[in-house]
Amino acid sequence: MRFIDAHTHTFLRNFEDLERMALSGVHGLVVCAYLPTRPSASATLLDLFRWLTQEETARLETHGLQVRVALGNHPRCIPDGQFADVLEELERSFHEGAAAALGEVGLESGDARELDVLQQQLRVAKACRVPVVLHTPRQGKEKVLPQLFRVLEAESLDPSRVVIDHLTPALVPEVRAFGAMAGLTVQPGKLTPADVVAVVGERGTEGIVIDSDLSHLPSDPLALPRCAQALSRAGQPRAVVEAVTFGNAARLFGFESAVPRPVAGPEAPA
Ligand SMILES: [Zn+2]
């Protein structure tokens, strides 16, 4: 089987983790912008964006991994001062195809500055027609979720092109009722493969994507293969496993090989 990890920060991991992912069937991944510190100026974000779209993409491709880069300003690392150059760079990157999605953006505390930065970035995503990866905080997801719904509605974003990520199983029905994709993060302190088995068993595959949120924090490069194994062992058919570990993310983020190529038959003898 092959997998797509729908939310990673591979640039905070070592070479060997990437090799293990490729060897275990990870076909592609979404690399999301994030800084584990608050930048002193927006120029730091611009350098991060260049790092991800150039050096990090090349590093991942040496392992045969397909890459889709998500660029954006995470709510935990909003710089002071001006922000217009970040918005301009996002627009340029989406237009040129250097980045395929807006992310990781969202709300942490949900204060006015975070909301403003999110709103401005969503406008660029909408204009450039790219999907969005939305962060929800470890604590207080119930509080920020209605805020996220309101801002998505206010900006008329197509919810089916938005992943609301790091959900608890209890929040999945609300997010699906809103029409957004439900992101299940399998990582120590978040969900386990058993949680994914329970959610998929209860709700089916529609609108579900799985990710590792691979970062400098404890994370599992093998989250996707582990979920596939758990789903198979729980008796889910291959089509179900394929939908949540590959197909849904492949369609959303435009991984080229999402559309199966016709299998050519043997050449007829002349
Ligand atoms: Zn993340």
Side-chain angles (χ1 to χ4, degrees), residues 7 9 104 166 213:
H7 179 148
H9 308 285
E104 173 176 7
H166 318 322
D213 199 8

Side-chain angles (χ1 to χ4, degrees), residues 29-54:
L29 37 80
V30 179
V31 180
C32 299
Y34 168 68
L35 277 176
T37 186
R38 190 176 290 274
S40 57
S42 58
T44 307
L45 289 173
L46 303 186
D47 288 337
L48 171 68
F49 294 173
R50 185 165 42 80
W51 176 16
L52 301 192
T53 55
Q54 295 180 16

Side-chain angles (χ1 to χ4, degrees), residues 7-9 32-34 74 76 104 133 135 165-166 187 190 211 213-215:
H7 179 148
T8 70
H9 308 285
C32 299
Y34 168 68
H74 191 289
R76 282 206 297 263
E104 173 176 7
V133 180
H135 164 88
D165 217 339
H166 318 322
Q187 187 184 30
K190 291 185 183 139
D211 60 76
D213 199 8
L214 197 69
S215 74

Side-chain angles (χ1 to χ4, degrees), residues 29-223:
L29 37 80
V30 179
V31 180
C32 299
Y34 168 68
L35 277 176
T37 186
R38 190 176 290 274
S40 57
S42 58
T44 307
L45 289 173
L46 303 186
D47 288 337
L48 171 68
F49 294 173
R50 185 165 42 80
W51 176 16
L52 301 192
T53 55
Q54 295 180 16
E55 288 84 358
E56 183 61 5
T57 295
R59 190 174 80 113
L60 291 162
E61 285 173 351
T62 62
H63 294 280
L65 294 161
Q66 281 208 20
V67 189
R68 294 292 177 274
V69 177
L71 295 183
N73 191 190
H74 191 289
R76 282 206 297 263
C77 46
I78 298 172
D80 289 331
Q82 69 121 5
F83 194 69
D85 52 354
V86 174
L87 297 170
E88 276 165 30
E89 185 59 23
L90 289 175
E91 196 177 347
R92 196 188 61 78
S93 301
F94 297 147
H95 274 309
E96 290 179 359
L102 176 72
E104 173 176 7
V105 298
L107 297 174
E108 180 71 23
S109 68
D111 67 18
R113 170 77 170 149
E114 286 183 11
L115 272 164
D116 179 48
V117 164
L118 174 61
Q119 197 164 27
Q120 293 186 66
Q121 295 184 95
L122 289 176
R123 282 177 191 161
V124 177
K126 189 187 171 202
C128 299
R129 301 173 187 217
V130 293
V132 179
V133 180
L134 280 182
H135 164 88
T136 58
R138 287 213 179 212
Q139 307 295 332
K141 291 184 198 292
E142 298 77 6
K143 182 193 148 219
V144 305
L145 206 49
Q147 288 180 291
L148 289 174
F149 292 159
R150 274 199 296 278
V151 70
L152 289 169
E153 268 173 352
E155 297 305 325
S156 309
L157 265 283
D158 173 359
S160 72
R161 304 262 294 150
V162 176
V163 179
I164 301 186
D165 217 339
H166 318 322
L167 295 177
T168 60
L171 293 175
V172 171
E174 211 179 323
V175 166
R176 290 298 301 136
F178 179 74
M181 304 286 284
L184 304 179
T185 301
V186 174
Q187 187 184 30
K190 291 185 183 139
L191 303 185
T192 64
D195 293 322
V196 170
V197 169
V199 170
V200 172
E202 232 169 75
R203 301 200 49 89
T205 63
E206 206 183 330
I208 303 285
V209 295
I210 303 172
D211 60 76
S212 66
D213 199 8
L214 197 69
S215 74
H216 59 304
L217 299 175
S219 342
D220 183 5
L222 305 185

